[in-house]
C-alpha cells in the first residue's frame, strides 16, 4: 500500500512538474522570441502585401487560441490593391496567425500554419473594368532560387477560423452582390499543398444575394458542411461533400469551379429533393415568413439548379443557368378561411443561356389550384427569348378574390371581386418585326375592392372587361378592347373606355374621364417616393390613326380634351433628383399636345413651358420612337450642376450604369445625360444660369435636343460684365464622359476679371495674370469632359483670334527675360494695343501664329509653340529701326516661370505633343520636351523619313496597278 502511495505521489509530482514546465514555457517562449517573430512577420508583410497595412498592438501568446502559439494583431486595417489603395479591404478586431513551435524553437524560423480572424469586415470589390481590390498578396516567382542562408517566414496553413464577421462581395463586371453578416467559418486541411481537401463548416446569420439588382436571397440563414478538393496550381475547386441549408431548405451541391485570369469557369449542380412546401417557402423574403408561421401549409417540393460555363468579361463569355421548381399536392389554409387553397401544383423551368435575356426560356408547364368546386385556376406558359419572344400560353380560371385572400390568410390587404379569365396565345411577339402571337381571350373583374392597412379608404367598384384578339400573328390583326374599366376612389369616379385595332397602324378610340389623387393611391399600396399630394384630372377623347399624324392628314384626327396635373413628382433613371410638376395644363388638339400652362421645379431650378409636343400617341403606345416638339421656356434660375448624373438626390430609381459609376467614383459629379428620344426645340429665356460657380445672366437663344445631343444656336448671355455669343453642341458618352464643340465670340471683356473668375482662362492662358485691360475673343473649340464635367485639356482642338484692344502687359517673365538679355527695359511694358494673336490648339499644345508689336523703337514679332503645362518653344525676331526691316533672331525655351533665352539663334528645342485616347478619354502620354539632337542625328532622321515616303509612294503605285 505504501509503495502504491509512493508511485501515485511520484506520478502526481512529475505530472505537476510537467504542467508547471509547460505553463512556464508558455510564458517564457513569447518572452524569448518576440523580436524574432515580430521582426519576421513585419518583413513578411512588407515583402508580400501590396496594400497598406496598419494596426494598433501585437501580442505573442498561447492563451488567446489555446494551445496554439499565436501572433495576434489588434484593430487591423488592410487597404486594397491598386486602383483601390485608399479603400479598406479588411478591418478586424483581431487577426492572429498560429506559429509552428518546433520550427521556432529549433530552427528559429517562423512557420505560419493557422489563421484566426475575429469581428472582421471584408469589403471585396470588382469594378466594371474587372479590376479587383483583393490582389494584395505578392507571390515570389517560382523560378527564383531558394534562400538557404537566412531563416525567414513562410505560410503552410492547416486551419483558417473566422468568427462573427461581415463579408461583402460586389462584382460590377458580373453584376453580382453577396452580403453575409454574422459569418462564422472554420476551414481545415493542408492549405499550403498544391492539391488538398478543405473541410469547411460555415454558418451565416443573414446573407443577401442579387444578380442584376434582382434579389434571389435576402436575409437568409445559411449553414454549410463541405469538403472541397482544391488544386492551387489550376485554382480549381471540386465539391466532394456538400451539405447546405438555407433557412429550413436543405440543398446538395456537386461540381467544380475554376478561377481564371479573366474570370471563372463553373460547373455546379444543386438540388433540394423531397422537401416540403413549407421548407421551400422559408427561402422567401423575410416579410413573407411571418405569414407562413400562422398558415397551415402542406405538400411536397423539389428544386434543381445548374450553372455551367465560363464567365469572362473581356471575352464576353457567360455561363448557362438552369432552374426547375416542382410543387406537388399543395395545401394552404388560414384558420379563418371557409375554403382552403387545395391541389396546388406547379412545374416551372427556367433556362438562361450565356446569362442572355434574349435567349431566356421560361416553361411553366403547369400552375393549378382550386378554392372549391367553382373556383379553379389552371395555366401553362412557355416563352423563349425576350426581344423576339416565342409564346405559347393557356390561362383560364374563375377566382373569388375574397376567398383567395382568406385562404392565404393575407393580413395587410383586403380584396373582393369575381375575376374570370380565359386567354390562349401562340406565336411570336416582336416589336421590331410587328409580330404578335395569335390570341383569343378575356379578363373580367366584377365588383372589385382593394383596401390596405396603410390607408383608411378603399379603391372600390372596380369593373374591368378586357378582350384581346389576334387572328394571324401580326400587329395588323391585333385588337384590344377595354369596355369599360372604371373604379371609385374617395368619391371620385374614373372611367376609361378604349378600342385599339391594327397595332401596325394603330386605329384608336379612347375616352377617359375622372379625378385621381395619385399621392393617396400610392399610400393605399404603401409605395414610397410620392411624398406630395399629386392630382390628375382628365377629360379626354382621342380618336384617330397613327399614320394620320405621321403623313400630315391632321384633318382626319379627332383628338380633344384636357389633362391637368398638379403637384406630381416624376423621376428618370439618369437624373439624381425628381421633377415636381407644380401645375401642368395639357390640351389635345388633333396632332398636338399643347402645354398651355406648365410650371415645374428641379431642385433649385425652375421651368415654365408653353408649346406643344407631336407624336405623343405613337410614343406612349409603342414606348419608343421620338417625341417632337416646340416650346418657349422661361426660367428665373437654372443650376446645371444639379443635373449631373452622379450628384446626390432623392431619386432611388437610377440606371445600373449610373449606380455603378457612383459607387466607383463617389467623389465625382458625373456629366449631364441627355434623353435619346427627344427632338425638341426651345426658345430659351433664363435670368440666370449657373455652372460650377460661373454665372451666366440674361441668357437668350435657341436650344434644341435631338438624338441625345443638345445644340445652342445664336445664344447670348452676360458673363464677367460682357455679352458673349455662342453656338455649341453637347453629347454625353457615359455617366462619366461627354464631348462638346463650341464657337464663341465675346467683345470687350476685362482680362483680369476673366482670369480671377473663370477656371478655364486660368488654366489655358496662364500669362493672363500679367495682363490688364480689354480683350475680344473669336474662338472655336472641341473636346471632352471628364467625370467631374471639367474640360480634359489634352482633348482640346481648335483655334481662333484674340484681339488685344486696350491692354497693359507688365513684367511678363518671358518678355522681361528677353529684354534683360538684349538690354531693353521696354520689354517689361510693351505696347500691344490693337494686336491680333491667332492660335491653334491640339494635343495639349498651343501653336502661335506670327504677330508683331512695339517696344519703344523696336518691332519684335513672336511665333512658335507653348503648352498647357507651361513649356515654351518660341521664336522671336527683334526688328531694328528704321521700320524693323533689319533684325536678329532669339529663341525662347524653358517654361513660363523659368524661360531660357538664346540670342542670334533660330533653332529652339521642340515639344513632343501629348497622346490622348478619345475612346477611353485618357491621356496616354503628356507633352514633353524633345531631345536635343546633333546635326548628324537630324540628317539620319531626315533620310529615314525620305525612305518611308519613297516606300509609301511605291506601295500606292502598286495598289493602283492592281486596280
Amino acid at each position: 500500500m505504501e509503495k502504491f502511495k509512493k508511485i501515485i505521489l511520484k506520478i502526481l509530482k512529475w505530472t505537476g512538474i510537467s504542467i508547471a514546465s509547460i505553463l512556464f514555457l508558455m510564458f517564457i517562449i513569447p518572452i524569448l522570441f518576440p523580436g524574432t517573430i515580430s521582426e519576421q512577420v513585419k518583413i513578411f508583410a512588407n515583402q508580400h502585401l501590396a496594400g497598406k497595412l496598419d494596426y494598433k498592438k501585437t501580442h505573442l501568446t498561447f492563451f488567446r487560441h489555446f494551445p496554439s502559439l499565436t501572433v495576434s494583431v489588434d484593430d487591423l486595417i488592410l487597404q486594397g490593391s491598386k486602383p483601390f489603395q485608399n479603400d479598406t479591404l479588411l478591418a478586424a478586431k483581431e487577426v492572429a496567425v498560429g506559429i509552428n513551435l518546433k520550427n521556432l524553437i529549433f530552427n528559429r524560423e517562423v512557420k505560419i500554419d493557422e489563421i484566426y480572424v475575429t469581428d472582421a469586415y471584408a469589403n471585396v470589390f470588382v469594378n466594371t473594368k474587372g479590376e479587383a481590390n483583393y490582389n494584395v498578396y505578392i507571390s515570389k516567382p517560382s523560378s527564383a532560387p531558394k534562400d538557404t542562408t537566412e531563416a525567414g517566414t513562410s505560410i503552410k496553413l492547416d486551419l483558417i477560423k473566422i468568427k462573427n464577421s461581415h463579408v461583402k462581395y460586389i462584382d460590377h463586371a458580373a453584376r453580382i452582390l453577396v452580403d453575409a453578416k454574422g459569418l462564422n467559418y472554420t476551414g481545415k486541411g493542408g492549405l499550403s499543398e498544391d492539391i488538398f481537401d478543405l473541410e469547411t463548416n460555415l454558418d451565416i446569420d443573414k446573407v443577401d444575394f442579387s444578380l442584376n439588382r434582382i434579389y434571389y436571397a435576402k436575409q437568409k440563414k445559411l449553414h454549410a458542411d463541405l469538403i472541397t478538393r482544391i488544386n492551387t496550381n489550376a485554382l480549381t475547386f471540386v465539391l466532394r461533400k456538400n451539405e447546405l441549408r438555407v433557412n429550413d431548405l436543405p440543398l446538395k451541391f456537386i461540381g467544380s469551379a475554376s478561377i481564371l485570369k479573366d474570370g471563372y469557369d463553373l460547373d455546379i449542380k444543386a438540388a433540394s429533393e423531397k422537401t416540403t412546401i413549407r421548407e421551400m417557402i422559408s427561402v422567401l423574403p423575410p416579410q413573407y415568413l411571418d405569414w407562413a408561421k400562422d398558415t397551415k401549409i402542406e405538400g411536397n417540393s423539389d428544386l434543381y439548379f445548374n450553372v455551367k460555363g465560363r464567365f469572362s468579361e473581356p471575352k464576353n463569355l457567360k455561363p448557362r443557368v438552369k432552374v426547375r421548381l416542382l410543387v406537388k399536392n399543395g395545401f394552404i389554409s388560414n384558420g379563418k378561411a371557409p375554403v382552403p387553397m387545395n391541389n396546388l401544383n406547379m412545374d416551372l423551368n427556367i433556362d438562361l443561356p450565356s446569362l442572355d435575356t434574349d435567349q431566356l426560356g421560361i416553361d411553366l408547364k403547369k400552375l393549378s389550384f382550386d378554392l372549391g368546386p367553382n373556383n379553379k385556376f389552371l395555366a401553362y406558359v412557355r416563352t423563349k427569348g425576350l426581344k423576339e419572344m416565342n409564346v405559347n400560353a393557356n390561362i383560364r380560371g374563375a377566382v373569388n378574390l375574397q376567398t383567395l385572400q382568406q385562404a392565404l390568410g393575407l393580413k395587410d390587404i383586403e380584396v373582393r371581386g369575381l375575376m374570370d379569365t380565359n386567354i390562349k396565345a401562340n406565336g411570336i411577339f416582336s416589336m421590331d418585326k410587328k409580330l404578335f402571337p395569335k390570341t383569343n381571350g378575356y379578363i373580367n373583374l366584377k365588383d372589385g375592392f382593394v383596401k390596405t392597412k396603410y390607408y383608411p379608404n378603399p379603391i372600390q367598384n372596380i369593373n374591368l372587361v378586357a378582350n384581346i384578339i389576334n387572328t394571324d400573328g401580326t400587329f395588323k390583326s391585333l385588337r384590344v378592347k377595354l369596355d369599360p374599366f372604371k373604379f371609385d376612389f374617395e368619391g371620385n369616379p374614373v372611367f376609361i373606355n378604349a378600342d385599339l385595332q391594327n397595332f401596325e397602324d394603330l386605329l384608336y378610340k379612347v375616352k377617359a374621364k375622372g379625378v385621381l389623387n395619385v399621392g393617396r393611391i400610392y399610400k393605399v399600396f404603401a409605395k414610397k417616393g410620392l411624398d406630395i399630394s399629386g392630382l390628375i384630372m382628365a377629360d379626354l377623347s382621342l380618336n384617330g390613326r397613327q399614320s394620320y399624324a405621321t403623313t400630315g392628314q391632321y384633318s382626319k384626327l379627332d383628338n380633344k380634351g384636357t389633362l391637368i396635373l398638379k403637384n406630381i413628382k416624376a423621376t428618370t433613371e439618369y437624373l439624381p433628383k425628381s421633377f415636381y410638376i407644380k401645375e401642368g395644363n395639357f390640351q389635345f388638339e388633333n396632332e398636338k399636345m399643347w402645354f398651355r400652362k406648365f410650371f415645374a421645379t428641379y431642385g433649385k431650378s425652375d421651368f415654365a413651358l408653353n408649346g406643344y409636343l407631336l407624336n405623343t400617341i405613337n410614343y406612349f403606345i409603342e414606348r419608343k420612337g421620338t417625341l417632337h416638339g416646340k416650346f418657349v421656356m422661361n426660367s428665373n434660375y437654372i443650376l446645371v450642376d444639379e443635373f449631373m448624373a452622379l450628384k446626390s438626390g432623392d431619386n432611388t430609381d437610377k440606371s445600373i450604369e449610373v449606380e455603378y459609376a457612383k459607387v466607383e467614383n463617389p467623389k465625382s459629379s458625373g456629366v449631364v445625360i441627355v434623353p435619346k428620344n427627344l427632338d425638341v426645340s426651345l426658345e430659351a429665356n433664363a435670368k440666370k444660369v449657373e455652372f460650377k460657380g460661373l454665372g451666366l445672366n440674361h441668357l437668350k437663344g435657341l436650344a434644341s435636343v435631338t438624338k441625345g445631343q443638345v445644340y445652342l444656336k445664336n445664344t447670348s448671355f452676360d458673363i464677367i460684365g460682357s455679352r458673349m455669343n455662342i453656338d455649341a453642341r453637347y453629347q454625353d458618352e457615359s455617366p462619366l464622359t461627354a464631348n462638346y464643340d463650341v464657337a464663341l465670340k465675346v467683345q470687350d471683356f476685362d482680362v483680369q476679371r476673366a482670369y480671377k473668375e473663370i477656371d478655364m482662362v486660368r488654366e489655358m492662358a496662364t500669362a493672363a495674370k500679367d495682363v490688364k485691360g480689354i480683350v475680344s475673343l473669336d474662338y472655336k473649340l472641341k473636346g471632352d469632359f471628364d467625370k467631374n464635367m471639367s474640360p480634359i485639356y489634352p482633348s482640346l482642338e481648335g483655334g481662333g483670334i484674340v484681339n488685344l484692344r486696350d491692354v497693359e502687359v507688365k513684367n511678363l517673365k518671358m518678355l522681361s527675360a528677353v529684354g534683360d538679355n538684349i538690354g531693353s527695359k521696354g520689354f517689361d511694358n510693351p505696347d500691344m494695343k490693337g494686336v491680333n494673336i491667332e492660335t491653334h490648339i491640339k494635343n495639349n499644345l498651343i501653336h502661335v501664329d506670327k504677330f508683331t508689336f512695339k517696344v519703344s523703337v523696336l518691332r519684335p514679332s513672336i511665333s512658335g509653340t507653348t503648352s498647357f503645362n507651361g513649356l515654351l518653344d518660341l521664336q522671336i525676331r527683334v526688328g531694328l529701326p528704321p521700320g524693323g526691316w533689319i533684325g536678329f533672331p532669339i529663341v525662347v525655351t524653358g517654361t513660363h516661370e523659368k524661360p531660357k533665352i538664346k540670342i542670334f539663334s533660330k533653332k529652339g528645342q521642340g515639344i513632343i505633343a501629348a497622346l490622348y485616347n478619345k475612346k477611353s478619354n485618357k491621356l496616354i502620354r503628356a507633352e514633353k520636351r524633345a531631345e536635343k539632337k546633333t546635326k548628324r542625328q537630324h540628317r539620319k532622321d531626315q533620310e529615314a523619313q525620305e525612305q518611308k515616303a519613297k516606300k509609301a509612294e511605291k506601295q500606292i503605285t502598286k495598289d493602283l496597278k492592281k486596280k
Side-chain angles (χ1 to χ4, degrees):
M1 193 67 179
E2 287 182 4
K3 284 183 178 180
F4 181 71
K5 285 181 179 180
K6 286 180 180 180
I7 291 169
I8 294 296
L9 287 172
K10 281 184 178 181
I11 291 171
L12 292 173
K13 176 183 175 182
W14 285 107
T15 301
I17 291 171
S18 299
I19 292 171
S21 300
I22 290 170
L23 291 172
F24 174 73
L25 286 172
M26 284 184 173
F27 280 108
I28 199 68
I29 287 173
I31 296 171
L32 292 174
F33 295 97
T36 301
I37 293 171
S38 297
E39 195 61 36
Q40 291 195 26
V41 168
K42 283 182 182 177
I43 290 169
F44 179 84
N46 289 331
Q47 288 179 345
H48 293 277
L49 293 179
K52 182 182 176 184
L53 182 69
D54 195 12
Y55 52 85
K56 281 190 178 179
K57 289 182 180 179
T58 59
H59 303 273
L60 181 62
T61 177
F62 280 97
F63 300 104
R64 280 199 172 187
H65 300 280
F66 185 83
S68 299
L69 174 63
T70 58
V71 178
S72 298
V73 178
D74 292 346
D75 298 326
L76 175 140
I77 295 177
L78 175 63
Q79 307 294 99
S81 55
K82 289 183 178 180
F84 308 100
Q85 59 267 38
N86 296 322
D87 299 330
T88 300
L89 171 63
L90 176 67
K93 184 179 179 182
E94 180 205 27
V95 175
V97 292
I99 308 298
N100 186 296
L101 194 58
K102 178 184 172 184
N103 287 82
L104 178 65
I105 293 173
F106 296 105
N107 302 325
R108 297 185 70 84
E109 292 178 346
V110 177
K111 300 292 183 185
I112 297 171
D113 54 13
E114 297 173 346
I115 292 179
Y116 302 87
V117 180
T118 306
D119 295 336
Y121 172 63
N123 179 34
V124 182
F125 180 69
V126 181
N127 67 14
T128 47
K129 299 175 185 176
E131 298 169 328
N133 70 341
Y134 52 77
N135 296 317
V136 293
Y137 181 74
I138 304 171
S139 58
K140 291 183 179 179
S142 57
S143 59
K146 292 183 179 178
D147 185 358
T148 56
T149 61
E150 189 175 342
T153 307
S154 65
I155 293 180
K156 192 172 183 179
L157 290 177
D158 294 315
L159 174 67
I160 296 176
K161 202 160 191 175
I162 301 171
K163 184 179 178 183
N164 190 34
S165 294
H166 179 189
V167 176
K168 199 168 189 177
Y169 172 76
I170 300 174
D171 190 333
H172 283 178
R175 297 187 174 184
I176 291 172
L177 163 70
V178 178
D179 191 0
K181 297 175 183 176
L183 183 146
N184 292 277
Y185 170 87
T186 302
K188 296 179 181 178
L191 280 74
S192 58
E193 303 294 333
D194 291 342
I195 301 175
F196 63 93
D197 285 343
L198 176 65
E199 298 178 19
T200 297
N201 189 277
L202 173 68
D203 284 289
I204 302 174
D205 292 339
K206 293 177 182 178
V207 63
D208 297 347
F209 170 72
S210 74
L211 175 64
N212 272 339
R213 293 196 299 186
I214 299 172
Y215 277 89
Y216 296 90
K218 195 139 182 143
Q219 297 186 19
K220 299 304 165 199
K221 189 173 183 179
L222 185 70
H223 170 76
D225 191 3
L226 312 172
I227 296 178
T228 308
R229 172 149 292 182
I230 299 176
N231 184 332
T232 58
N233 292 323
L235 283 178
T236 300
F237 306 84
V238 180
L239 297 168
R240 303 188 72 191
K241 182 184 177 183
N242 40 57
E243 296 175 6
L244 183 69
R245 183 173 288 273
V246 182
N247 280 7
D248 298 326
L249 183 70
L251 287 168
K252 288 188 177 180
F253 284 83
I254 59 171
S256 63
S258 299
I259 299 176
L260 309 175
K261 224 175 187 181
D262 58 355
Y264 320 97
D265 193 7
L266 304 170
D267 186 3
I268 296 174
K269 294 179 180 178
S272 178
E273 297 179 290
K274 298 179 181 178
T275 56
T276 66
I277 297 175
R278 180 173 287 278
E279 289 171 331
M280 186 69 67
I281 286 173
S282 73
V283 302
L284 290 174
Q287 59 265 34
Y288 298 105
L289 299 184
D290 288 338
W291 160 78
K293 288 178 183 176
D294 301 327
T295 305
K296 186 178 180 181
I297 302 171
E298 296 176 356
N300 301 316
S301 68
D302 297 292
L303 175 67
Y304 302 93
F305 175 85
N306 175 230
V307 55
K308 184 175 183 179
R310 185 171 169 182
F311 177 85
S312 171
E313 190 67 25
K315 295 180 180 177
N316 196 27
L317 296 174
K318 293 180 182 178
R320 182 175 198 151
V321 175
K322 289 184 176 183
V323 181
R324 187 180 187 191
L325 174 62
L326 291 169
V327 174
K328 300 174 184 175
N329 303 319
F331 177 94
I332 300 174
S333 179
N334 185 266
K336 298 177 183 179
V339 179
M341 175 183 281
N342 206 357
N343 299 317
L344 173 62
N345 291 278
M346 180 169 66
D347 185 355
L348 173 64
N349 297 264
I350 299 173
D351 185 12
L352 186 57
S354 301
L355 296 180
D356 181 5
T357 54
D358 286 334
Q359 301 182 59
L360 173 65
I362 297 175
D363 188 2
L364 180 62
K365 293 184 177 180
K366 186 178 185 180
L367 172 61
S368 64
F369 62 86
D370 64 63
L371 295 160
N374 298 319
N375 283 268
K376 294 186 177 182
F377 183 86
L378 175 64
Y380 74 79
V381 178
R382 183 181 298 132
T383 68
K384 180 71 175 177
L386 198 64
K387 286 183 180 177
E388 186 171 317
M389 183 186 292
N390 200 313
V391 179
N392 188 356
N394 189 344
I395 303 168
R396 65 181 185 273
V399 178
N400 185 312
L401 297 180
Q402 186 174 17
T403 304
L404 179 64
Q405 175 217 328
Q406 291 172 341
L408 296 177
L410 303 179
K411 299 175 182 178
D412 298 336
I413 187 169
E414 180 184 351
V415 293
R416 300 176 202 160
L418 298 174
M419 187 177 73
D420 182 20
T421 182
N422 191 341
I423 298 174
K424 291 182 180 179
N426 190 2
I428 296 173
F429 174 77
S430 171
M431 291 291 291
D432 295 333
K433 295 182 179 179
K434 305 288 186 182
L435 298 175
F436 196 91
K438 291 181 182 179
T439 306
N440 188 2
Y442 64 85
I443 298 175
N444 292 344
L445 175 62
K446 293 180 181 179
D447 302 322
F449 177 100
V450 178
K451 185 177 181 296
T452 70
K453 69 174 185 179
Y454 308 107
Y455 195 73
N457 298 326
I459 304 171
Q460 57 189 347
N461 299 323
I462 307 171
N463 286 276
L464 169 67
V465 177
N467 291 276
I468 180 168
I469 297 172
N470 186 289
T471 57
D472 64 5
T474 67
F475 269 31
K476 191 172 184 178
S477 69
L478 176 60
R479 182 176 186 180
V480 178
K481 192 173 183 180
L482 296 177
D483 188 14
F485 173 41
K486 59 183 180 179
F487 61 88
D488 293 345
F489 182 59
E490 296 195 322
N492 292 316
V494 176
F495 300 89
I496 299 173
N497 293 82
D499 188 359
L500 309 176
Q501 300 178 46
N502 184 7
F503 279 66
E504 198 170 288
D505 180 13
L506 185 67
L507 179 65
Y508 55 88
K509 292 180 181 179
V510 179
K511 289 185 179 181
K513 190 172 184 179
V515 177
L516 188 62
N517 193 317
V518 182
R520 294 179 186 177
I521 283 279
Y522 267 62
K523 287 180 182 178
V524 170
F525 299 102
K527 291 287 184 182
K528 296 180 180 178
L530 213 77
D531 51 6
I532 53 175
S533 178
L535 198 68
I536 298 177
M537 292 177 279
D539 187 357
L540 292 174
S541 175
L542 308 176
N543 192 347
R545 189 183 285 275
Q546 277 182 291
S547 60
Y548 292 165
T550 55
T551 58
Q553 301 178 69
Y554 303 130
S555 60
K556 293 184 179 181
L557 291 170
D558 185 18
N559 298 328
K560 57 189 176 183
T562 57
L563 180 67
I564 297 173
L565 308 181
K566 288 189 177 180
N567 297 326
I568 293 291
K569 176 181 176 182
T571 59
T572 170
E573 60 182 0
Y574 295 113
L575 288 177
K577 295 185 177 183
S578 302
F579 272 100
Y580 289 88
I581 302 174
K582 301 291 184 182
E583 186 174 359
N585 191 328
F586 306 98
Q587 187 172 349
F588 288 81
E589 289 183 0
N590 294 333
E591 79 278 13
K592 294 177 180 176
M593 177 181 175
W594 286 93
F595 287 55
R596 295 299 188 190
K597 191 176 181 182
F598 182 90
F599 180 71
T601 61
Y602 177 87
K604 297 177 181 177
S605 306
D606 62 82
F607 306 91
L609 291 176
N610 282 290
Y612 63 84
L613 282 176
L614 294 171
N615 198 40
T616 52
I617 303 295
N618 293 3
Y619 177 78
F620 288 112
I621 290 173
E622 292 191 354
R623 302 305 301 165
K624 66 176 186 178
T626 301
L627 281 171
H628 304 275
K630 188 174 183 180
F631 294 93
V632 174
M633 184 195 77
N634 291 286
S635 174
N636 293 307
Y637 179 66
I638 299 174
L639 180 57
V640 177
D641 304 35
E642 295 181 312
F643 291 84
M644 296 178 191
L646 307 191
K647 285 280 190 176
S648 298
D650 63 328
N651 184 11
T652 57
D653 298 323
K654 298 183 181 73
S655 72
I656 196 166
E657 293 81 10
V658 171
E659 185 179 295
Y660 283 176
K662 180 64 177 174
V663 171
E664 295 178 18
N665 303 271
K667 296 181 180 178
S668 300
S669 66
V671 301
V672 176
I673 297 177
V674 183
K676 306 297 185 288
N677 58 346
L678 288 182
D679 180 14
V680 176
S681 63
L682 296 168
E683 185 182 320
N685 297 281
K687 290 182 179 179
K688 184 171 184 179
V689 177
E690 195 168 339
F691 173 56
K692 302 188 77 169
L694 183 65
L696 315 177
N697 298 308
H698 306 297
L699 182 144
K700 288 187 177 183
L702 299 176
S704 63
V705 181
T706 304
K707 295 180 181 178
Q709 300 185 72
V710 177
Y711 294 87
L712 296 178
K713 269 192 172 183
N714 301 323
T715 302
S716 62
F717 48 81
D718 293 335
I719 180 172
I720 58 169
S722 302
R723 194 72 181 168
M724 179 179 285
N725 296 281
I726 70 167
D727 290 341
R729 181 200 59 83
Y730 169 88
Q731 180 181 30
D732 63 274
E733 299 167 352
S734 76
L736 297 169
T737 56
N739 63 72
Y740 63 93
D741 48 63
V742 59
L744 57 92
K745 292 181 181 180
V746 57
Q747 294 290 326
D748 302 338
F749 69 90
D750 187 296
V751 178
Q752 278 301 298
R753 187 173 172 184
Y755 184 82
K756 290 174 182 176
E757 296 182 20
I758 304 176
D759 293 339
M760 198 169 181
V761 172
R762 283 197 300 275
E763 294 174 11
M764 288 183 64
T766 53
K769 68 179 180 180
D770 299 311
V771 178
K772 293 181 180 178
I774 304 301
V775 169
S776 295
L777 190 67
D778 187 350
Y779 223 85
K780 291 182 179 179
L781 280 175
K782 68 176 182 178
D784 297 328
F785 280 127
D786 66 11
K787 59 186 178 182
N788 290 306
M789 210 161 171
S790 296
I792 302 174
Y793 289 100
S795 74
L796 291 179
E797 292 182 32
I801 296 173
V802 180
N803 174 258
L804 310 181
R805 199 195 83 182
D806 185 10
V807 299
E808 284 185 11
V809 181
K810 283 191 175 181
N811 301 317
L812 184 62
K813 288 186 178 180
M814 183 200 75
L815 292 178
S816 296
V818 171
D820 291 342
N821 277 268
I822 65 173
S824 174
K825 292 292 183 182
F827 277 88
D828 291 337
N829 187 14
D831 180 5
M832 289 193 172
K833 291 180 181 179
V835 171
N836 286 333
I837 303 175
E838 186 170 353
T839 59
H840 304 275
I841 296 172
K842 192 171 183 179
N843 297 325
N844 226 37
L845 300 183
I846 306 167
H847 304 282
V848 184
D849 289 1
K850 184 177 179 181
F851 68 93
T852 303
F853 56 99
K854 294 179 182 178
V855 176
S856 186
V857 295
L858 303 176
R859 295 293 181 272
S861 59
I862 298 178
S863 63
T865 304
T866 179
S867 82
F868 286 127
N869 290 328
L871 299 178
L872 298 175
D873 184 30
L874 298 174
Q875 290 78 44
I876 300 177
R877 181 186 180 279
V878 180
L880 302 174
W885 295 104
I886 301 172
F888 60 91
I890 298 174
V891 166
V892 182
T893 57
T895 66
H896 283 296
E897 294 299 318
K898 293 182 179 179
K900 296 177 182 178
I901 310 300
K902 283 186 180 180
I903 304 176
F904 301 112
S905 177
K906 292 184 178 179
K907 290 184 179 178
Q909 189 179 358
I911 304 171
I912 298 174
L915 283 180
Y916 175 77
N917 189 319
K918 290 185 178 181
K919 289 185 178 179
S920 63
N921 300 99
K922 283 188 176 180
L923 178 66
I924 298 170
R925 183 194 69 204
E927 73 275 18
K928 61 181 181 179
R929 181 67 69 187
E931 295 179 5
K932 291 182 179 179
K933 294 184 179 180
T934 62
K935 289 182 179 179
R936 187 178 177 184
Q937 286 173 321
H938 277 296
R939 230 180 5 255
K940 280 187 176 181
D941 289 345
Q942 189 173 353
E943 288 172 1
Q945 287 174 355
E946 287 174 358
Q947 288 296 324
K948 282 183 181 178
K950 286 178 182 177
K951 285 181 180 179
E953 191 175 345
K954 286 179 181 179
Q955 187 62 45
I956 291 169
T957 306
K958 284 182 181 179
D959 293 342
L960 289 171
K961 285 180 180 179
K962 286 179 182 178
K963 289 181 179 179

